[in-house]
Structures are given as C-alpha cells and as structure tokens.
C-alpha cells in the first residue's frame, strides 16, 4: 500500500506539467477549433529565455520566471496576430500547417541562438524529500503541483470574474454573437493565445530541471499533454487539468506494476490512450458529445 501511495504522489508532479500544457492546447482548440502543434516548441523556447535570464544575466529564479511569463504572453499574442490571424478564414488544414511550420521555426531557432548542448536547469525547490512513515514525498513534485494549481485557480478566477475573461469565453463559444455585442473577437483570440503560451512556459520551466534543457525536451511532453486533453475532453478546461493528473498518476502506476511497460514504453501507452478514447468516447471523460443534425 505504501508503494502505491508513493507512486500516486510522484505522479502528481508530472501530471501537473501535463495538465498545464493540456490546458494550453484546450484554450486554443476552444477558440480556433485546431490543435496548436507548436505549443511544446513554444514552451521550450520560452524555457530557454528563462534559462538565459538566470544564467547569462544573473537574475534570481522567481523574477526570471515572472519575466518569462510576460515574454511568453507577448510571444503567443504576437503569433496569433501576425501568423494565425491572416489565415483565420482559411481551412483548418491551413492553420494546422502553419502551427507545424512554427514547430520547425522554434526548433531551429533555439539551437541557433543557444546551441543544442544539453544543459542543467535550476529548480526553485529543494531536491529533498519529506518522510511520512515509509512514504517519501519529493519537495520538487509538491512545489510543481502547487505552482500549477495556483495558476489554474488564477485562470479560473480570471475567466469567471473579469470582463476580459468573460469576453474570452464568449468569443470562444459564439464569435458571431460576440461581435454583435461589441466584443473585439480578434483581440480576444490573441489574448487566448497569449494565455496558452504562458501555460506552456510554466510547463516547460517546471519540467526542465528533470528533463534537462535541450531543443527537443518538450516533444514527448506535448504527446502526454495531448493524451491528457483527449482523455479529459479536448473542449473542457477542467477535463484538461483532470486528464493531466489522471495520466501522470496512471502512467506511474502502470510503469510500476506492469512489468513489460517500465519507463521506456510510457509514450506508446499515452498514444494508446489517445486511440482508445477517440474510438470509445471521442468527447473525453468530461467533454460534451457534439450533436450534429443530418
């Protein structure tokens, strides 16, 4: 039983990272109807920016963290206005191809600017554990979960209690009606992209101490996040968070108790989860099935 609890607690840290990136995917999907395949590479790029502020400019961790989130917001906002908005009326395939192009751009820019060398990334949390009987709780996992939880609560409050948040929700659900009541839908979508980039930056920065910093660090994490979003419901922000936590804990338990899986086959398990959910319940655990009239 102690080993089971140990794996659950350890899975919460990785699950929180998947949840943050999955929520970013859901925000953009709700607004545009497409998946931003560049979300992971944008997260990687902003993580490099945070590293540069700390290592090259001598900033302490939390000021660099806050500055990176502001830069990430500006990056996401700018990409929507400059790259996505001009093709907003084009087909979904066109927008998807644009996001794939962004993957190549950011993956090429990062080693060009900072080199492809694998680097250690500092963590703000002690690399120590708390002991509760026979259970060891990583302070880094707890800190990661707490930061993501605080961010999710802040976003929930933003969407529930601010005029901009309500306008964002309205723009995502019914852009035509929103325009009729004076909402600037284009700007709202850009803010949504900015917020998604912030979530991605948080995921990248919190994952970097474990994954190490290199240009491909977020590619597997993006697949896990996509699996979490599909599992919870690609149109459900709550589902994205719940799916991330469930996936993080579930993969830990599978890796521990299913001998042939281990650590090396967790990615295929995530892909299998995507396939099964799309076949059995395409709306996910918390999404609402779409009703179409024939």
């Amino acid at each position: 039983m102690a080993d089971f609890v140990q794996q659950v607690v350890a899975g919460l840290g990785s699950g929180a990272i998947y949840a943050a990136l999955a929520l970013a995917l859901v925000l953009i999907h709700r607004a545009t109807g497409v998946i931003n395949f560049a979300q992971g590479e944008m997260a990687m790029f902003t993580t490099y920016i945070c590293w540069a502020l700390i290592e090259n400019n001598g900033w302490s961790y939390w000021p660099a963290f806050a500055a990176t989130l502001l830069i990430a917001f500006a990056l996401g906002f700018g990409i929507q206005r400059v790259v996505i908005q001009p093709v907003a009326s084009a087909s979904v395939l066109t927008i998807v191809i644009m996001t794939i192009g962004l993957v190549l751009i950011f993956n090429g820019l990062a080693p060009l600017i900072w080199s492809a060398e694998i680097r250690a990334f500092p963590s703000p949390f002690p690399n120590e554990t708390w002991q509760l009987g026979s259970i060891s709780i990583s302070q880094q996992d707890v800190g990661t979960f707490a930061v993501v939880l605080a961010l999710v609560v802040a976003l929930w409050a933003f969407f529930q209690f601010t005029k901009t948040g309500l306008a964002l929700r309205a723009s995502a659900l019914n852009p035509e009606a929103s325009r009729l009541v004076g909402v600037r839908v284009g700007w709202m979508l850009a803010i949504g992209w900015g917020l998604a980039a912030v979530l991605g930056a948080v995921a990248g920065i919190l994952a970097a101490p474990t994954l190490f910093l290199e240009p491909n660090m977020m590619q597997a994490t993006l697949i896990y996040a996509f699996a979490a979003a599909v599992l919870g419901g690609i149109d459900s922000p709550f589902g994205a968070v719940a799916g991330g936590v469930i996936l993080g804990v579930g993969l830990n338990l599978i890796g521990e108790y299913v001998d042939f899986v281990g650590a090396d086959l967790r990615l295929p398990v995530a892909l299998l989860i995507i396939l099964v959910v799309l076949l059995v319940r395409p709306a996910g655990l918390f999404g609402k099935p779409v009703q179409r009239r024939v």
Side-chain angles (χ1 to χ4, degrees), residues 52-67:
L53 291 175
I54 295 171
E55 298 296 328
N56 297 344
N57 296 283
W59 290 38
S60 57
Y61 184 93
W62 290 113
F65 182 89

Side-chain angles (χ1 to χ4, degrees), residues 21 24 30-32 34 38 41 77 96 101 106 109 111 124 129 148-149 181 207 212 225 233 245 256 283 285 290:
L21 200 56
R30 280 170 62 93
T32 63
V34 300
E41 300 307 289
F77 188 97
V96 168
F106 284 115
L109 276 178
T129 60
V148 173
L149 180 62
V181 296
F212 295 101
V245 174
E256 177 67 17
L285 296 177
V290 177

Side-chain angles (χ1 to χ4, degrees), residues 21 24-25 28 36-49 68 72 75-76 79 98-111 113-114 193 196-197 199-205 211 213-223 225:
L21 200 56
L25 293 172
I28 291 181
N36 178 17
F37 290 98
Q39 201 72 64
E41 300 307 289
M42 290 167 63
M44 171 273 297
F45 193 82
T46 50
T47 303
Y48 265 105
I49 292 174
T68 301
L75 178 66
I79 286 174
M98 296 295 286
T99 66
I100 294 174
L102 290 171
V103 171
L104 302 177
I105 290 172
F106 284 115
N107 196 262
L109 276 178
I113 298 172
W114 295 289
W193 272 74
L199 288 163
V202 170
I205 293 169
L211 298 178
L213 184 61
E214 51 95 12
N216 300 317
M217 59 172 279
M218 293 300 289
Q219 291 178 1
T221 305
L222 180 65
I223 295 175

Side-chain angles (χ1 to χ4, degrees), residues 6-144:
Q6 180 78 65
Q7 295 303 319
V8 170
V9 172
L12 291 176
S14 56
I17 292 170
Y18 304 154
L21 200 56
L23 185 55
L25 293 172
V26 167
L27 283 179
I28 291 181
H29 184 267
R30 280 170 62 93
T32 63
V34 300
I35 296 296
N36 178 17
F37 290 98
Q39 201 72 64
E41 300 307 289
M42 290 167 63
M44 171 273 297
F45 193 82
T46 50
T47 303
Y48 265 105
I49 292 174
C50 186
W51 174 85
L53 291 175
I54 295 171
E55 298 296 328
N56 297 344
N57 296 283
W59 290 38
S60 57
Y61 184 93
W62 290 113
F65 182 89
T68 301
L69 297 193
L70 292 175
I71 294 170
F73 180 86
L75 178 66
F77 188 97
I79 286 174
Q80 198 282 332
R81 299 306 297 171
V82 175
V83 178
I84 303 301
Q85 183 63 28
V87 297
S89 59
S91 67
V92 170
L93 180 60
T94 300
I95 301 175
V96 168
I97 291 173
M98 296 295 286
T99 66
I100 294 174
L102 290 171
V103 171
L104 302 177
I105 290 172
F106 284 115
N107 196 262
L109 276 178
L112 184 65
I113 298 172
W114 295 289
S115 86
E117 177 186 352
I118 297 176
R119 306 175 187 274
F121 193 92
S123 172
F125 310 112
N127 190 24
E128 300 173 359
T129 60
W130 291 306
Q131 288 295 136
L132 294 179
S134 58
I135 302 171
S136 298
I137 301 176
S138 167
Q139 295 185 30
Q140 182 161 318
D141 287 342
V142 172
T144 297

Side-chain angles (χ1 to χ4, degrees), residues 5 12 28 36 119 191 204 210 219 241 244 246-247 275 284 291:
V5 175
L12 291 176
I28 291 181
N36 178 17
R119 306 175 187 274
I191 292 173
T210 303
Q219 291 178 1
V241 175
I246 292 170
L247 186 70
L275 178 62
Q291 302 292 332

